[in-house]
C-alpha cells in the first residue's frame, strides 16, 4: 500500500494541462482519435492485471493508466501504470480500484475509486497526493464516473445524489451542483465553451443539465427515463441516451431531434457529421444534424463500450461472455475485422472497457483481467488445410466459382483463425476489373486497400517462396505443401511489407465438404450422404462413425472411384443394432485412399447429429 504524500498539488504539477487526456479522448467526449493507419487485429502485447478491467485505458507520455476491480478468485486490485510500448507494469497502487477512467492533469492522475474517494496521484511514482471523499453511498460502484479536467479544474459526478463536483488543482471542493436523485454510476461530465454537461435526476425525472464554470445553471433538459451514458458534444449539439431514446440537444437547451433507441453505457462518438453509438446487439450510425439512421450493424452482444473513431474506422467492443473487439467502416458499417476472446468453461470475458487510441496503437481492457494492445502493422502466420472443390464469391454483383486449392482459397480459409486464445476474423474484398485476363486482384483485406503514403503507393501483392505471383490469386494453384504470402506494401519485396500474411497450406488429395444424416430406428439404418471431391483419379473409402450419448458406437463404410476434379455425393448405410441406446448420436466422416486404408486418413469432417429411436 502506498502512503499519502501531504504536499501541495500545485507544486507537483509542472503545468496544468489546457485539455486533459481522458475517457473518450477529449473534454467533449467525442471519441475522436488520431492514427496514421488502420488498427489491425495484430496483438502487440497483453498484460494481466487480474480482476476485471472495466475502465478505459488512458495514454499519456509513453504510459497507459488503468484501474481494475472485483476479480475472479485471487486478484490484485490497483491503479496500474503500464509501458505503452511493451506492456510491462511500471507501478501499481493497490489502494485504488474501480471502473473510473483516469484523467491526466499535468503530472497528476485524477481517478475515482470504489470506496467513493477521488484520488490525485503522482503519474511518475503512483503515490497518492490527495484523497477527497465525494460519494457518501458508494454501494458497488463508488465513483465510477470518469473525471473531466477542464480549464484547470476537475469535474466529476457522484451517482447516489446526482451531483456534479468542481475540484481545484489542490484537491479542494470549489462548488457542487446537486440534482438530488440517483443517476447512472458510469455517466461522466463533458464540456464545451464554458459549459459543463452532466446527467441529473430531480424527483425521479431524468435531466441533462448544463452549468457554467461557476456552477450556475444555464439550462435543464428533461429526458424520458435515466440517462445511461455520458454526454458528448460536437460543438453544435449534445448527445445523450436513455433506455428508450437517443437525444440531440442544442447548446441553448432546446431539442434538436430524438429517436426511439435502447441506450446503454455506450457514449456516442461524433465524427464525419455522424453519431456512432452502441445499443443492445447493434452499433448505430445517425446523421448528427437530423437523427436520420444511416446504418446499423449487428454484433454478438450488448455494446456498453464507447466507440472510438480514427481514420474512417469505428472501434468498439461487446459486453458478452465472448467479449469481442470490432472494427467497422465508418461510412458503410461494414465489419472489417473482429477479435473475439474465448474464455474457459465457467468464465466470462465480457468487455465493458472502451478503446483508447494513441501512438498508432489501440488499448482496451476486458474481464479476462488483461489489457490488450493492438497496432497498425505486423505479421500473421496461418496454417491451413485445403481440400479439393470450389466455393462461390460475389464481386460487384457477379458470382464466380473459385478452386479451394488456390492461393485465394488459402486466403479465404485464413479468414477465420484462432491466435493467442482468441478467434479472429477479417474481411476480404476482390477486384474483378481484369478477371478475364488475370483473375482477381485483392481490393482490400481488413479494410486496407490501395493507398498512397508519403508519396509511395502501397497495395496487396501475392508471393510464393521464389517471388511475386504474376497471375490473380485465384489462378495460382498450390502444391501439396506450399507457403504463400499476402504483402501490404510497395510491392518491392517481402521485407517492405507493412502487413504480411504468411499462409502455410497443405493441399489434400481428397476432401469432404458436407455430411448429412437421416434419423433411424433400432434394428434399422441411418443413411449418411457425404460430399467428396478428389484432386486425383483413384479409389477411395469413406467411413462414417461416432457414438451416442451413452457411448454406444455405430459405423458404416462405402468404397467408390473418383476422377480428378470430380465431386460425388456418396451414400453410406449405418446399421443400428436392435439393442442400441436411443437418443442423439454425433457422427464424423473420414475419407481414405483405398490403397492406404485404414492407416492414412486424408480428411476428417464433422460432427453431424442424428436421432436413434
Amino acid at each position: 500500500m502506498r502512503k499519502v504524500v501531504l504536499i501541495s498539488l500545485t507544486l507537483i504539477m509542472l503545468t496544468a494541462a489546457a485539455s486533459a487526456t481522458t475517457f473518450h479522448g477529449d473534454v467533449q467526449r467525442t471519441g475522436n482519435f488520431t492514427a496514421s493507419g488502420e488498427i489491425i487485429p495484430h496483438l502487440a502485447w497483453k498484460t494481466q492485471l487480474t480482476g476485471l478491467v472495466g475502465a478505459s485505458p488512458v495514454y499519456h507520455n509513453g504510459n497507459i493508466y488503468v484501474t481494475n476491480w472485483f476479480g475472479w478468485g485471487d486478484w490484485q486490485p490497483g491503479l496500474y501504470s503500464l509501458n505503452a510500448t511493451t506492456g510491462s507494469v511500471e507501478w501499481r497502487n493497490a489502494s485504488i480500484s474501480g471502473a473510473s477512467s483516469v484523467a491526466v492533469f499535468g503530472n497528476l492522475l485524477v481517478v475515482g475509486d470504489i470506496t467513493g474517494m477521488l484520488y490525485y496521484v503522482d503519474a511518475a511514482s503512483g503515490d497518492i497526493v490527495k484523497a477527497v471523499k465525494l460519494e457518501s453511498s458508494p454501494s458497488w460502484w463508488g465513483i465510477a464516473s470518469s473525471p473531466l479536467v477542464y480549464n484547470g479544474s476537475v469535474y466529476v459526478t457522484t451517482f447516489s445524489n446526482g451531483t456534479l463536483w468542481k475540484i481545484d488543482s489542490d484537491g479542494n471542493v470549489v462548488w457542487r451542483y446537486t440534482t438530488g436523485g440517483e443517476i447512472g454510476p458510469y455517466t461522466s461530465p463533458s464540456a464545451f465553451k464554458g459549459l459543463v454537461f452532466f446527467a441529473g435526476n430531480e424527483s425521479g425525472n431524468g435531466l441533462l443539465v448544463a452549468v457554467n464554470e461557476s456552477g450556475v445553471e444555464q439550462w435543464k433538459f428533461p429526458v424520458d427515463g435515466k440517462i445511461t451514458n455520458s454526454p458528448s458534444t460536437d460543438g453544435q449539439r449534445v448527445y445523450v441516451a436513455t433506455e428508450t431514446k437517443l437525444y440531440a440537444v442544442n447548446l441553448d437547451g432546446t431539442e434538436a431531434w430524438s429517436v426511439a433507441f435502447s441506450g446503454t453505457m455506450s457514449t456516442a462518438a461524433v465524427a464525419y457529421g455522424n453519431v456512432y453509438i452502441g445499443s443492445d446487439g447493434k452499433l448505430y450510425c445517425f446523421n448528427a444534424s437530423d437523427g436520420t439512421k444511416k446504418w446499423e450493424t449487428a454484433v454478438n452482444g450488448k455494446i456498453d463500450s464507447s466507440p472510438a473513431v480514427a481514420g474512417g474506422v469505428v472501434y468498439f467492443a461487446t459486453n458478452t461472455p465472448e467479449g469481442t473487439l470490432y472494427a467497422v467502416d465508418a461510412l458503410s458499417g461494414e465489419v472489417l475485422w473482429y477479435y473475439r476472446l474465448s474464455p474457459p468453461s465457467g468464465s466470462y470475458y465480457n468487455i465493458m472497457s472502451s478503446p483508447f487510441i494513441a501512438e498508432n496503437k489501440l488499448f482496451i481492457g476486458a474481464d479476462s483481467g488483461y489489457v490488450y494492445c493492438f497496432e497498425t502493422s505486423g505479421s500473421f502466420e496461418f496454417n491451413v488445410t485445403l481440400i479439393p472443390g470450389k466455393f462461390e464469391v460475389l464481386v460487384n454483383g457477379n458470382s464466380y466459382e473459385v478452386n479451394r486449392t488456390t492461393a485465394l482459397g488459402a486466403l479465404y480459409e485464413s479468414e477465420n483463425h484462432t491466435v493467442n486464445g482468441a478467434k479472429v476474423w477479417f474481411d476480404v474484398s476482390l477486384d474483378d476489373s481484369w478477371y478475364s485476363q488475370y483473375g482477381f486482384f485483392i481490393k482490400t483485406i481488413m479494410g486496407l486497400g490501395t493507398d498512397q503514403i508519403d508519396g509511395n503507393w502501397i497495395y496487396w501483392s501475392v508471393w510464393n517462396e521464389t517471388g511475386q505471383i504474376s497471375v490473380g490469386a485465384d489462378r495460382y494453384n498450390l502444391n501439396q505443401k506450399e507457403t504463400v504470402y499476402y504483402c501490404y506494401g510497395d510491392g518491392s519485396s517481402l521485407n517492405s511489407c507493412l502487413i504480411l500474411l504468411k499462409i502455410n497450406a497443405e493441399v489434400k488429395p481428397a476432401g469432404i465438404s458436407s455430411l448429412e444424416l437421416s434419423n433411424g430406428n433400432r434394428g434399422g439404418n441411418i443413411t449418411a450422404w457425404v460430399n467428396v471431391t478428389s484432386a486425383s483419379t483413384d479409389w477411395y473409402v469413406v467411413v462414417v462413425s461416432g457414438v451416442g450419448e451413452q457411448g454406444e458406437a455405430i459405423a458404416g463404410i462405402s468404397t467408390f472411384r473418383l476422377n480428378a476434379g470430380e465431386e460425388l455425393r456418396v451414400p453410406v448405410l449405418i446399421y443400428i443394432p436392435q439393442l442400441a441406446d436411443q437418443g442423439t448420436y454425433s457422427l464424423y466422416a473420414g475419407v481414405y485412399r483405398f490403397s492406404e486404408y485404414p492407416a492414412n486418413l486424408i480428411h476428417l469432417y464433422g460432427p453431424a447429429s442424428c436421432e436413434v429411436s
Side-chain angles (χ1 to χ4, degrees), residues 253-273:
T254 59
E255 181 175 318
W257 52 262
S258 63
V259 295
F261 187 74
S262 179
T264 66
M265 284 167 49
S266 180
T267 294
V270 283
Y272 318 122

Side-chain angles (χ1 to χ4, degrees), residues 352-414:
M352 185 178 82
S353 178
S354 299
F356 195 98
I357 299 170
E359 300 296 328
N360 294 321
K361 293 180 174 65
L362 182 151
F363 308 92
I364 193 167
D367 285 0
S368 61
Y370 282 86
V371 174
Y372 299 83
C373 173
F374 300 87
E375 52 194 343
T376 57
S377 61
S379 298
F380 300 81
E381 184 168 0
F382 312 111
N383 297 311
V384 300
T385 299
L386 305 178
I387 63 171
K390 296 182 178 181
F391 65 97
E392 187 178 289
V393 295
L394 191 66
V395 183
N396 294 324
N398 301 312
S399 180
Y400 300 89
E401 285 191 334
V402 177
N403 286 325
R404 291 195 187 99
T405 55
T406 60
L408 186 59
L411 176 62
Y412 273 88
E413 190 66 26
S414 302

